[in-house]
Every structure is written in structure tokens, then in C-alpha cells.
Amino acid sequence: MDSPTFRSAPRRDIQGLRALAVLAVIGAHAAGWPAGGVLGVDVFFVISGFLITGMLLREARDTGRISLGSFYARRARRLLPAALTVLIAVGVAGWFLFNRARGEQTLWDAAWAAVFASNWNFAAQGTDYFADTGAVSPLQHFWSLSVEEQFYLVWPLLLLVVLALAGRARVAAVAGVLAAAIVAGSFGWALAQSDAQATVAYFSTLTRAWELGVGALVAVLVPVLRRIPRVLGATLQWGGVAAVVAALLLIDPTAGGFPAPWAAAPVVGAAVALAGGVGGDPRHRRLVPLTNPIAVFLGDASYSLYLWHFPVVVFAAVLVPASEWHLWIVLGASLVLGVASYLIVEQPLRHAPFLGGMPQPAAPEPEPQPEAEPAPVTVAPTTRPAGWTPGTRYFPGSSRPAPARMAVAAAAPVAESVAEPVAEHRGSAVAAWRERFAAQVFLATAGLVAVALAGVLWATASGHGPRFGLPELAPAASAPSVSGDPTADLQAELAAAAAADAWPDLNPSLDRVMIASSAANPAHDCFSPGAATACGWGSSDAPVHIWLVGDSTAMAYAPAFRRIADDSDGGIRVSAMGMYGCRFTDVLVQNDDPQVMARCQERKAAVRAAIIADKPDLVVMSNAFTLGRSVDGTDLSAENLIAAQRREADSYRMGERMLHLAPPPQGVSLAACYTPSSSPKACDSAVDSTWRQMEAASEHAAKAAGDHAMSSLPLTCAGDVCPPFAGSIPTKYDQTHLTVEYAEHIAPALHQALDGAGLLTGR
């Protein structure tokens, strides 16, 4: 139950600051503006630390204790109704609107969010908050709620210990020292982690606690800040808000140094704005941009707006066709759902008596002022006779006071005198709750339905509506003509796929290959960090022996080489070994997997020794055609990486029997582009410029060295378009790697290319 003793009136400037923060976050996610809009989350952290710490300190001061049960009950009523509504809605929508793999992942993300552990879930996945290359979780924004609640699992307990050791008179001072230590330690760790492990640093509670701690420090200083002259306070408020706005407009979190040191700008700005407003009246009329009714209402609804906006952004990217109306549809849907959630779910359930809440009074309570000496009691003169007791009736002319009606109740049994007021109180609380929220819920629900129907009618009439419904499958293709040229037949399949407007009946399905990922690859274990031996296919007596080496792109080609060996009638033997994430270059290229970093150099040395000892007839090397960085932080260009790959290959002493096989060009994320309602054209990709640069550098180096380089375009793309399937087979299971079935499908064309280059003859 929210006790009025520990709750101060909402400051209008704080609600306006919340509105500014949530609008910035929504703008950044929906429109990419302002550049630093996601820093609005940092403003929320400061506000939260200020308000929650202030409430706990007031409770400690007024009662000498801190009730953890009441605190967590208030947090649950405040957060869970709206959050669970969003989680359930997004989980159901994701299951039906996303592909199977993404739908299942969304359910897992919802489960992590429900226990306030989203931040660690996304950190473990290696999620890059600012990347736009994969399937973004519609619940990714729940990370900030997780950080807050993890902080509040610990902070009230620490204050409880402080109260027990220092007493109510010194609890604020000791809490201030403790908050300062948290700020210093957490900020220092954030500085270190922002460079070393930027992804983890973004989501980590340990690197974000200082932001809530700064708000806590402001709360500790409230008694001092109340003495600031109002003019100076107003100046601080304007300065703080200006700093926050400047940070939102000027700081680019993608440029590095985040959350430390750059998050310090909005954090300090928000703290100064909060501090400046402590001594003023709660309305803060001078700060009109933040204290006007619209800003205050948006601040009141900021939690629901924040919860709903990101799922709208993500689902709109899948369902709503690109047009000039796309942004307005996203913003409108976010506003309607957020406000409806605030009016229908968040407010009513937060104060519901059956959940332990009580309706707040319609008029805000005045902000608590510093304690003062009690004023002397003055007894007003009365015309009632001596001996009259307040609470009893007096009738002029009567010789003595008449007993009050309460005296009759006094004769009732004790049980009834207790039970009846309790029941009456409960009934009045429910009645008051219904009186306050019933009309609001009804009108908001009716408004939501009306707006939704109007939106659907407009979208249907204008052609801007979502792509609901499953598309028809493409007509069954006739059997491809067999020209006797495997490469020509493969190119015909790819060209037909690039022109297709509907998905054929794929076998295996895209859902199946995405879920299977690399685990279905027969060479998976030979490319893992713990591999001890190479994979081998074909007869040990075969006259031609081929080694396939490299990172995961080489592993993706392994099923094609296995089929070449199996179809060679004992003429070809293939050995394959490498490591996914480990580029076969003489420079160690950074990778996020510590196991890869620990064993990459050792694996390359083992493969080198095996090839030199084995003296095969051909070595095929394939590595990713993407840019990278050395372990010392040096950026590696396309030319640098190809040169490093060729130096590694030269150490094998293969001469002209060395082949550099290009990987497939980077495609779009199937997890993001493929949905039950999408067109295959959404998953078509073009050949990227980095791939072309590295392919050109590889071809040029091969001519100069006298060995061989082979393009993958004839195997995976039709002209400049790389489709997600060929015939009835998915080409990739992610952005880069071939499916096992498609790798086997291209084996005849690959065999033809190797034979044409004279590489399938023994020494």
C-alpha cells in the first residue's frame, strides 16, 4: 500500500524531463533522430535513482525503518501490469508473424524480460545495440528495466544495513557516502569496459549503476538543496535541461566511449536539473517547455510509451510496406498503444485495492518541507457549556450535552466494531477506485478501438496497410532443363529465383535450416575450437588429395567437397580442418569468442604442419570477405587482409597448387527478412563493395603469384543479385553461410570449375 507518509507530490518538471527522455528514445529508434536519442535512458536512470532513494530515506527518517515488503510491492504494482501486457502481446505476435527461429527467440527474450534479466540475456547473445544487420528483438529495450530492478534488489538492502548501523539521524549522510562510492567504482569500471567489451558494457548493471547512483546523491542532498534561492534553482534547471538536450543532439553513441565517458553528459545534466528544482514549487511555472500540461501528461505516460514503442518499430519493419507514411504509422501506433496502456492497464492496476494499492487523492499532496517545531495549540472560544466533549451533540437550551451516536456503537461487541469499519474501508476503497478509473478505462478502450478501426480503414484504402496473411506459394516449377553444363543450369535456377515474387515450396524449409544452423554441417566438429583431427572423405588410395582450410566459410563449403569426393569413384580424397571465427591469415584478427582467440594461432600452425607433411595435390583456402581489426586495435583494409591470407598460404609451400576460393557475398539476415508474410525479394541481396574489393585483390594477387583465385558468384548469385534460394533449396541459413543442402547442390558446378582450372589432377 502506498503510504502518503513516504510519497511526495509529482514535480511537474520531473514529468517533463521524463517526456523529453522518452520522446528522444522513440525518435532515435523510429527515425534515427536525434543522434543521441538513446541517451534518454540515462536520464531515466538518474530520475529513478533520485525518486526511489528519496522515498526510502523519507521512510527511514519518519519511521526509523525501511519496509522491503512494501517497497517491492509498490515496484511490482508500478511495473508488472504494463510490462507483462507487452510481453504477452509481443510473444504471441512474434510467434505468428516471425519465422519459427525468430518467434522462438522472441519467447525466450520475453521469459528473460519477465524475470528482469534482459540485459544479461542480450549481453550473452553478443547483441550490438546499434547494429542494424540482424533480426532485432522487439523486446531489446527491456534491458534498461532489468538494470533498474537489479539495482533495486541491492540498493534498499544496503540502505537497510546503513539504517541499522548508523541510525535514522545519520542514515542520509552514510547513504551519501555509499552512493558516492558506487558512482566512483561503477564509472571507473564503465570506462574500462567501454573500450574492452563495449557490448557487455552497454548492458551491464555494473557499468550503469553509477547513473542511478548520481540520482541517489541528489536525493541525499535534498535538505541542502532546499536552501538554494529560487532564482539560482531556476538557472540550474535551465542549464541542466540545456545540457541534456545538447547531449541528445550532439553525442553519437555508435562512435565509442559509451556508456563511459559520454553518458556522463546527460547524467550530469539531468542531475543538475533535478537539483535546481528541489527548492521551487512543484509546478515550476518558469520551466514551461517541461511543465506544460502536454509535457506532464507524456511524462506520466512515459513508462507505457517506452514499453510499446520498440515492438511497434520492429513489427512495422516486417509488416508495413516502406513508404512516406511508414514513420507516421510507427509514431501514431506507438502513441495510441502507449497512452491506451497507461489509461487502461498501468494506472488502474497500479492503484487497484485488490492488488494492495489505494487510489491516490485527486489533488497532489504538497511536497514535504523541512521539519519545524510544532506550533502552540490555540483553543477557539466556544458557547457550549463546560464539560462539553468534542464529538458529542449540543442542542441549545439543553441542560447537558446529548450522547453522540457513536456511544451506541460502543455497546456493540468488539468483533463487530472492528470488522465493520474494516469491511466498510475495503468497500469504500474499491468504490473509490471504480469511481476514479471506470470511466477512464471505458473511454480509453472505446477510443483505442475507434482509432484502430479508423487506422485499418485508412491503411486498407490507401494501400499503406500491413502485409497480413500468408502469401501464396509460387507455382511448382517445371523440371529444369539439363543442358549438360552444371554451371549454366545453376545460373538458370538462380536467375529464376531472383525474379520470383513468391516463395516456392522449399525443401528443407527456411525455418528448418535457420534452426539447424551450422550444427547440420558434417565438418562442424573439425572446425570447432576443440577439434583434434581433420575430417576426411573419399578413398585413402585416391590419386588426388585435396585439403580444405579456413574459417567458417570454408566449413560451409565442406559438404560440396564431400560430395565431390563421394562422386569421384575413388578418384578424390578430401581432408578439411579450420576454425570458425579464425581467419587463416598470418595476422591474428579479433573475434568476440575468447576460445577462438586462445586457439586460433595454434590451429593454424597445426594445419600448416599437416599440409607440409602430407604434400596434398591441392589446398583450397576460404575466409570471410569482411573487414576486421588486429588484436592490437589496428583496422585492416581489404588489401591488408588478402595480403595476410596469402602470406599464410605461402607458408604451405604449395606453389601453383594453391586455390583461394571466395566466400559467398554477404547477404541480408534471413532471421530479419523472412516472415510468413514476406516476399522472397525482401531477402534478395546485392554484392557488397567490401566483397568486390577483396575479390579483386585476390584475383590480382593470384595472377602475380602464379596460383589460383576463384569467384563464388557463379555458384551463389545471378548477376548482381544473390537470392535466398535456387530451385527448391535455401541457399543460406544466415547472412553468410551456405546450407548443407545447397553446398551439395553446387558440387557439380564447383567440380566443373576446379577441373576447368586443371586443379583435379595428381602431381
Side-chain angles (χ1 to χ4, degrees), residues 144 202 344 471-472 527 547 593 614 637 648 679 688 719 736:
S144 61
Y202 189 90
I344 299 171
E472 295 181 1
F527 281 74
W547 266 83
D593 190 337
D614 205 20
S637 66
E648 178 67 20
S679 163
D688 61 281
T736 306

Side-chain angles (χ1 to χ4, degrees), residues 14 23 48 176-177 256 336 379 435 479 543 612 666 712 734:
I14 292 181
L23 291 178
S48 178
V177 174
V336 169
V379 179
E435 182 179 357
I612 292 174
Q666 285 283 99
S712 61
D734 58 10

Side-chain angles (χ1 to χ4, degrees), residues 82-101:
L84 291 177
T85 300
V86 173
L87 293 178
I88 293 171
V90 170
V92 172
W95 181 259
F96 288 102
L97 298 177
F98 289 153
N99 57 69
R100 180 68 177 275

Side-chain angles (χ1 to χ4, degrees), residues 50 57 172 176 215-228 275 278:
F50 171 72
L57 291 179
L217 278 175
V218 178
V220 169
L221 295 173
V222 161
V224 177
L225 296 172
R226 283 203 181 104
R227 302 169 187 167
I228 294 178
V278 168

